[in-house]
Amino acid sequence: MINKKVELAIINQIEVEGYSSQLYLSMASWCDVNGYAGAAKFLYQQTEEERMHMLKFIHHLNERAGHALISALKQPDHEFKSINNVFDLVQKHEQFVTNSINNLMDICSSEKDYTTANFLQWFVNEQIEEEATVQTILDKIKLLGKDKEASFFMMDKELEVMAIAKIAAAAAAVKAKP
Ligand code: FEO
């Protein structure tokens, strides 16, 4: 039986991951209707990954004889100032998620739930990767030249390539499962 404090913290994290999925879906939709097809593809894929994160927490909690409760989610913003603004907000959101995972890890340590702490290690590594990816995108946006339109077009193409690589990696991970 899982510790009650850990259970409540995981239920909170299920909400965080569910909201992340909705937020990136809203951003993807904005990119879609504003001509950023590559960024949209990248963010639609990110939406799937966040849903997968949410499901991992749900399965972990239910397997430990807890009950994964599903919360109502607040509506994400649906208007953004620019593509730069979208990825600035992605970065802020990922930093928030990292803090939330670290907080969950603290609770696991103080409650001596080493099984959940071990399970969480995957998320600790995932957050390092997610923050690094968004930092790379923001660095590249900053380096865009004077011809913003052409530069954003190139950047959008690059995001499409990144999205295709992410989709291939996700498919390979599913295939590799026993
Ligand atoms: Fe599941 Fe991007 O945090």
Side-chain angles (χ1 to χ4, degrees):
M1 190 76 185
I2 198 158
N3 171 287
K4 205 68 199 163
K5 273 192 193 163
V6 175
E7 179 172 25
L8 288 175
I10 292 178
I11 289 170
N12 177 63
Q13 193 62 32
I14 290 167
E15 183 178 340
V16 167
E17 302 292 347
Y19 178 73
S20 304
S21 184
Q22 288 294 93
L23 175 62
Y24 297 155
L25 187 59
S26 184
M27 289 172 169
S29 181
W30 181 88
C31 290
D32 225 358
V33 298
N34 282 279
Y36 298 111
K41 193 169 188 146
F42 180 89
L43 288 161
Y44 280 130
Q45 176 57 19
Q46 201 59 37
T47 295
E48 296 295 326
E49 289 185 18
E50 298 301 346
R51 181 174 162 75
M52 184 265 284
H53 295 170
M54 178 183 70
L55 286 170
K56 270 181 184 274
F57 279 109
I58 290 172
H59 295 320
H60 176 78
L61 186 49
N62 289 343
E63 277 165 14
R64 301 278 314 283
H67 184 182
L69 304 180
I70 310 302
S71 316
L73 299 174
K74 69 172 180 165
Q75 185 178 27
D77 287 342
H78 50 261
E79 288 297 339
F80 304 94
K81 286 186 223 128
S82 62
I83 193 79
N84 196 352
N85 175 234
V86 166
F87 283 98
D88 263 340
L89 292 171
V90 170
Q91 183 179 51
K92 283 192 180 71
H93 187 70
E94 284 303 324
Q95 288 165 348
F96 163 74
V97 175
T98 299
N99 284 339
S100 183
I101 296 282
N102 289 343
N103 185 44
L104 185 46
M105 191 62 112
D106 282 348
I107 294 169
C108 290
S109 296
S110 61
E111 298 302 315
K112 297 187 174 16
D113 182 347
Y114 301 116
T115 307
T116 300
N118 188 41
F119 160 81
L120 275 182
Q121 195 55 50
W122 183 90
F123 286 92
V124 171
N125 295 336
E126 179 73 2
Q127 284 311 118
I128 294 170
E129 193 187 311
E130 296 214 334
E131 284 201 41
T133 300
V134 72
Q135 187 61 58
T136 301
I137 294 168
L138 284 171
D139 288 346
K140 286 185 177 176
I141 290 175
K142 252 189 225 154
L143 289 173
L144 293 178
K146 282 208 174 79
D147 186 353
K148 291 270 185 212
E149 284 310 309
S151 301
F152 276 129
F153 180 76
M154 295 300 292
M155 184 69 211
D156 199 51
K157 285 279 156 224
E158 196 164 330
L159 282 165
E160 186 171 15
V161 171
M162 285 171 80
I164 290 166
K166 262 176 170 285
I167 292 165
V174 169
K175 228 177 170 182
K177 269 193 184 160

